[in-house]
Amino acid sequence: MRTVQRTLLAGALTGALALTMGAGSAGASAPADAGPDTATGTSTVRTVDARSGDVITCKITTHLPHYSHHAHADNRHMVNVTADIKCSKKVAQLAIRVGLFKNGTLYKQSGTRANLGKNKVSQNAARRCVKRQNYTGAAVGVVTFPPGYTPHTKQVKHTSATVRINACKKS
């Protein structure tokens, strides 16, 4: 049963990721040396427990794509984008998938990462750096709230600003 759920979730997130770039909020350029912790806004969802009035707020953030060089790593000279979903309380399930776009075309898509009974999940997508290109990150996720909360499930998505990476080497 869990395999079927994961397969359906992965399919839904893949379709949503493809649509995210078309209607996303990308467009503002960011400096090429911006770090991975710099993001341009978030997307937020809220849910309420009908019995107690308790509120859970979840935010999805797609950080700016950045050149990632780790001297001892096998995957040197990569462009990396990370994204996360963080909730104010633990939820039943969080799932996220991240896409890295090069000049508006999907360049790398991550697998789906899910957490059960946690308040956060993160994922990344990385691929070989190509200099003098524009990179954008996009993330989609599904939040499944605990029983009694309305809505019970909510899809979230967020697109980073577009970053031009002019050099694929450590400065």
Side-chain angles (χ1 to χ4, degrees):
M1 180 65 178
R2 225 178 254 284
T3 303
V4 172
Q5 287 176 329
R6 285 188 185 265
T7 302
L8 292 173
L9 179 63
L13 292 177
T14 298
L17 184 60
L19 295 174
T20 298
M21 276 301 291
S25 59
S29 290
D33 60 352
D37 295 328
T38 309
T40 56
T42 60
S43 182
T44 304
V45 295
R46 299 178 74 139
T47 187
V48 179
D49 185 337
R51 300 165 294 187
S52 68
D54 188 43
V55 175
I56 298 176
T57 303
C58 297
K59 294 181 181 182
I60 184 171
T61 305
T62 307
H63 303 277
L64 293 176
H66 61 282
Y67 170 73
S68 181
H69 172 76
H70 301 283
H72 60 279
D74 290 336
N75 57 352
R76 291 190 277 197
H77 308 295
M78 304 289 275
V79 173
N80 187 39
V81 63
T82 61
D84 51 65
I85 301 172
K86 294 180 182 177
C87 298
S88 58
K89 297 180 181 176
K90 292 180 181 179
V91 296
Q93 181 174 329
L94 293 167
I96 191 169
R97 181 168 242 175
V98 179
L100 174 65
F101 291 80
K102 181 176 76 171
N103 298 322
T105 302
L106 185 61
Y107 189 52
K108 177 68 177 189
Q109 180 173 278
S110 73
T112 300
R113 178 168 290 163
N115 270 347
L116 300 172
K118 305 283 184 179
N119 72 332
K120 62 183 175 180
V121 66
S122 62
Q123 181 63 301
N124 78 300
R127 191 159 172 199
R128 184 179 63 83
C129 182
V130 179
K131 63 185 176 181
R132 294 188 295 275
Q133 303 295 310
N134 295 315
Y135 294 93
T136 308
V140 295
V142 175
V143 180
T144 304
F145 296 101
Y149 284 83
T150 304
H152 180 64
T153 302
K154 189 71 177 169
Q155 187 176 58
V156 292
K157 60 185 177 178
H158 184 252
T159 303
S160 75
T162 298
V163 176
R164 182 158 182 90
I165 297 180
N166 288 316
C168 297
K169 61 183 178 180
K170 192 170 183 165
S171 41

